[in-house]
Amino acid sequence: MLGQRLVAYHLVAYHLGVELETKVAFSAGFGGTGHYGPFNVEKTLVYGKVLTNLGNAYNPATGIFTAPVAGVYQFSVYHHSGTGRRSDSLLFKNKEQIAFISAMNKDGSYNGSNGIILQLEEGDVVYVVLKDNSWIWDHMSNVGAIGWCHFNGILLFAQ
C-alpha cells in the first residue's frame, strides 16, 4: 500500500515537472579495531561502524557504495598508519583506480587522506582497497568515537 502511494506521488511529481530530492550520504569507520593487515594481496576495506547511511547506498558488510541515482558525488577517505608502518590504499570507481591514499612514517604515526568529486551513473560502485603489504591502524581515543579511519560519501546533486 505504501509502495503504491510512493509510486503515485512520483508519477504526479513527474507530470507536474517537479523533481523529488534524493538524499544520499554515508560515513563509516573501522571502529577502533587496532591494526588491519598487512596482507600479501590487495583487500577491499570494510568499514563496519556506520555513523550515517542516508539512502542505504553504503553496504557495511562489503564496504561498497552503490550509487542509487545518477549524479555528482563527493568521497573522502582518511587513514592512520601507526608507528613504523606504511598505509597505502586506493579508491576505485567500478574497477578503475581513481585516487591514492598514502601514509608512510619512519618516526611516528601519520595520517593519509584524499577527497574527490565523481560523476556516477546509477549502479556505479565506489570502494577502497588496501594495497598488498600495507596496513592501517585504527584506535578510539575517546569514548563514543569510531576511530581514525573513515570512508565518506555524499550526493551533491542528482542528474
Side-chain angles (χ1 to χ4, degrees), residues 3-121:
Q4 292 172 337
R5 284 187 190 163
L6 287 174
V7 169
Y9 289 136
H10 281 275
L11 286 173
V12 169
Y14 174 78
H15 288 294
L16 293 175
V18 176
E19 289 189 36
L20 299 177
E21 183 179 354
T22 301
K23 295 181 181 177
V24 181
F26 77 94
S27 182
F30 261 75
T33 56
H35 75 274
Y36 183 78
F39 303 102
N40 60 358
V41 295
E42 295 182 348
K43 293 229 180 217
T44 299
L45 292 175
V46 177
Y47 301 82
K49 298 290 184 181
V50 176
L51 282 175
T52 303
N53 198 4
L54 297 175
N56 292 313
Y58 174 75
N59 185 334
T62 64
I64 297 173
F65 171 85
T66 304
V69 296
V72 176
Y73 294 79
Q74 179 179 5
F75 295 94
S76 58
V77 179
Y78 301 93
H79 284 173
H80 185 73
S81 65
T83 303
R85 301 292 179 134
R86 182 175 191 92
S87 177
D88 291 331
S89 55
L90 308 166
L91 182 72
F92 280 85
K93 171 187 168 188
N94 299 321
K95 294 183 178 185
E96 177 186 0
Q97 179 187 334
I98 300 296
F100 184 68
I101 303 96
S102 182
M104 174 58 183
N105 69 53
K106 296 178 183 173
D107 57 359
S109 298
Y110 288 87
N111 297 314
S113 63
N114 209 334
I116 196 157
I117 295 174
L118 293 173
Q119 185 171 355
L120 301 179
E121 297 299 324

Side-chain angles (χ1 to χ4, degrees), residues 123-151:
D124 282 348
V125 295
V126 178
Y127 53 96
V128 181
V129 171
L130 184 67
K131 293 279 293 165
D132 56 326
N133 300 313
S134 189
W135 82 328
I136 60 174
W137 170 256
D138 198 37
H139 176 70
M140 292 190 313
S141 57
N142 297 312
V143 176
I146 66 164
W148 297 341
C149 301
H150 300 94
F151 178 32

